[in-house]
Amino acid sequence: MAESAGFIPVIGLEVHAQLLTRTKMFCRCPAVFGAEPNTMVCPVCLGLPGALPSVNRKAVSMAVRLGLALGCRIEGESVFARKNYFYPDAPRNYQISMYDRPLCSGGGLRFEDGEEEVSVGLERIHLEDDAGKLLHGRSGHSLIDFNRCGTPLVEIVTLPEIDSPRRASLFLQNLRHVLSYLGICDGNLEEGSMRVDVNISMRRRDDKALGTRTEIKNLNSFKAVEAGLEMEIDRQRKVLRSGGSVVQVTNLWDAGEKRLVTMRRKEQAHDYRYFPEPDLPTLVVDAAWIEDERAKIPELPLERARRFRREYGLSAYDARVLTAESDIADYFEKTAGMTGEPKMTANWVMRDVLREIKTYGGDTGSFPVGPEELSGLIGLIKDGVISTSAGTEVFTGMLGSGEGALEAVRRLGLERISEKDEIEAIVERVLGSCPDEVERYRGGKRQLIKFFVGQVMKESAGKADPKVATELLRRRLDS
Amino acid sequence: MSGLAGKSVGELLALYRKGRASPAEAVADCIDAIDSRDMAVGAFLEVFRDEAMSRAEELENEDPESLPLYGIPVAVKDNICTRGLPTTCASRMLSGYRPPYDATAVERLSAAGAVLVGKTNMDEFAMGSSSEHSAFRRVINPWNEECAPGGSSGGSAAAVSAGMVPAALGSDTGGSIRQPSSFCGVTGLKGTYGRISRYGLVAFASSFDQIGPIASDAEGCALLMQALSGPDGKDSTAISEDCPDLLCALDGGLSGITFGVPEELGGWDLDRAASSALDEACRAVSAFGEAPERVALPGMETSIACYYVIANAEASSNLARFDGVRYGLRESSDSLYSLYASTRTEGFGEEVKRRILLGTYVLSAGYYEAYYGKAQSVRKMIRKAYRDVFSRIDLLMLPTTPGPAFRLGERLDDPVSMYLSDIFTTPANIAGLPAISIPAGLSAEGLPIGIQLVAGAGREDLLLRGARGLEKIFRFRERFVPGGGEA
């Protein structure tokens, strides 16, 4: 096989995640999205002459929590550093980041790829502040909105050990779930609250040495990550197979055209002249602080999925889907607890709830069918009051009205008919209107029983209990 | 009452408390003095006549005993932010810039009852030792108009020396308060690093910069330091403990204090005035107790190199924000990079550019370890050497500068000789220690020369006690006045 003799990709990721703190990283300005431009600013985040940063301890707490959740070593002492570069969205023309002494080192993220559990190691996690936003006008000049400037970010850097675009995307999706479980980032790639840069090189299958790496920035969706990586792997492979060598380059993902655009080459690479930030003392995180944060870590998605499989007998896939978002997992657990029917509950949540809750921004709090209501509905189906198919109609009714399951069933007139007299009358009508089929059934075509049951269901608008109907039909036809 | 502007802070407070003068009279007298003398001296870049007068009148309703700096007219160096009032750092880059906030030091001055009368001239962005690097006007030494007042806080020192204000704020990164105080015959204090919040001080070299007072005597410095110091949530490098009580410490006397004199001084070509002032101080100290111990301070000769590497590295980054995009000067241009280049070319003076280039170089990939890294190791060694010294003695005593004020223009074309005038002052910044310069005598040419005291970290109390003790021996203020020789 050609592949076995060829090159395999080596991928590393750098993820920037905006922390959900109330205020910014180094000042007290509100860290909010969508305010009027340049209204959430002060001398500190505008980098005015003389202004000084002071560290938001909540942001440190969140980063420590993330580090602990990912098994990192939390450094007792870490050092903020200045990353110097000129750009109009950075008002000091340096970013306050961390360099040779980051807050967290090592660790990794474990996640499931199908039935396989995999792990991607981390190099580091550090804190830094975000830049402002440039708005390029048509008239040729640009405007700057500094509201985002100073928003706390964690940068999560993986080891270069991911071997496929699909796995890179899976890593990111699972990381997003962990961030959301910890309540420290909403992980929205499209809105930029989570941003991904990738680096990629190729190595020979039989050789550990990595080739020259290239970078892709601006990947604004999981699909873009996969597509951009596929394209770059393809390109590097072609270069190497034709005997050429890969040149160090930084590419931008063009989301509109779905292609890679070269941003800068090696000779244009920045010298950031990092040095320790003299305006901030060494960041000291003591054991008590670390233990406080450890205590705040909830059961994480991977562990929760395992428990769902064990406790509720769910498949690996179902458990993974249900535990991706902690709100949904909570919703499922509450509902399943009330119904005592975890599998049936899982089906309802995965099919109906997950489909409809998108309209509510995935927020279980504002979703009209709460665990109580859904468990009511499942109970009615389990008790045979309504059919499964009527259940879907009831669910839709409940969504629109916000009423309980029983009220919706009554309003919609969907209670199952199980009274023998009533069904008997329908059976009589059906048999009377289909003399040919009755004759053929009696002539030995027994499978026609399904046709008759179908007719009864149709005649009863789906409300007849099919078991009772079958029994009555057999009794009449076989006698 | 005239001559109020030339009073010391303590004298003025006493007059107010006895009801023999009012803040309005003192402020009016300062403004008169500025109007009549500053045309020649060039100490001020901006005078707030109306604002100062109305603030002084407001104070008439307050009890003089209730505020520690009640009605004291104070000039502030122009690299300290004053809300809505020009703050230019004596640079074209910030010409017309009015910050939207007050520095913590300015807030504390106002809260203590002081009256801001104006902003003082300086070397551009505090880079220089002669105040000749001001983009706007030169400052002369009130003792001799052909001599430099020193720098970078030359305007503040000259304003106090020429009797235009009783006190002023300066900033000291490598000696910028103490060196001009020595040249101008006034007292200048730099506290322990972090003693006064740097919030609102336009940064030159963040790990060295300290705001501090310049006054005609140690008591004035103590009064201002007490009001300005203290923890500040806006400056993470500010000391979290309060300053010791300096006013109590002031009159503790010289007995019981152990002094040291650096051994290495022998290797320096000291001006005769500097060595005789030091000798006099040593004799006086010996009369109260033991003779000063000779202490070894290895690394003194490397301190200037260490200082200029780290300070310029920090400066290159601190001054990156002046790019024409958001405030200050903007040169017209057709692209982003030409906007940066033309604004910074036009906006910065030669010395500032030289330091930005040096600082950028020492942080560059491939050079970082050889320069910045090595300078940080030297800094650690110097800190340790000083810690060891202050485990044995209380105060280190040495000349503030190797000689008195040099002539204007004399060192302008020789940056290294200019840098060397900071040789005795930079170690205190490198080690973050409190230090004070007090006027000791006059040179043969009639120029003042200062003696410097350095204390261990946090020991401003010992420092001021020593300074006051020596002040009583030198009796400089009683003996000499600028331009007039003997008082």
Side-chain angles (χ1 to χ4, degrees), chain B residues 381-431:
Chain B
M381 285 166 48
I382 294 176
R383 279 174 190 273
K384 190 184 173 300
Y386 276 83
R387 257 202 313 276
D388 292 348
V389 163
F390 288 110
S391 67
R392 299 202 311 276
I393 59 157
D394 295 323
L395 294 174
L396 196 63
M397 189 159 64
L398 69 167
T400 311
T401 53
F406 46 83
R407 297 199 162 258
L408 285 164
E410 189 181 282
R411 298 192 184 179
L412 211 44
D413 298 326
D414 186 359
V416 174
S417 76
M418 186 81 94
Y419 297 171
L420 283 172
S421 65
D422 298 334
I423 182 78
F424 296 152
T425 48
T426 48
N429 301 84
I430 292 173

Side-chain angles (χ1 to χ4, degrees), chain B residues 126-213:
Chain B
M127 295 174 177
S129 307
S130 68
S131 299
E132 292 168 287
H133 298 300
S134 167
F136 303 126
R137 58 191 302 210
R138 68 172 201 177
V139 192
I140 58 132
N141 190 315
W143 293 79
N144 182 335
E145 62 176 29
E146 287 174 11
C147 289
S152 65
S153 310
S156 290
V160 175
S161 167
M164 296 189 268
V165 277
L169 295 191
S171 68
D172 192 317
T173 306
S176 280
I177 285 175
R178 290 159 288 153
Q179 186 254 25
S181 294
S182 172
F183 282 12
C184 292
V186 293
T187 305
L189 168 63
K190 176 198 95 75
T192 309
Y193 182 77
R195 181 60 83 202
I196 297 179
S197 167
R198 291 185 295 118
Y199 191 78
L201 168 66
V202 180
F204 158 16
S206 316
S207 71
F208 301 91
D209 293 345
Q210 268 297 289
I211 293 174

Side-chain angles (χ1 to χ4, degrees), chain A residues 229-242:
Chain A
L229 279 170
E230 296 285 5
M231 266 177 225
E232 182 57 17
I233 290 167
D234 202 40
R235 190 189 69 81
Q236 287 195 15
R237 224 174 229 147
K238 278 183 186 145
V239 169
L240 292 170
R241 277 189 187 149
S242 67

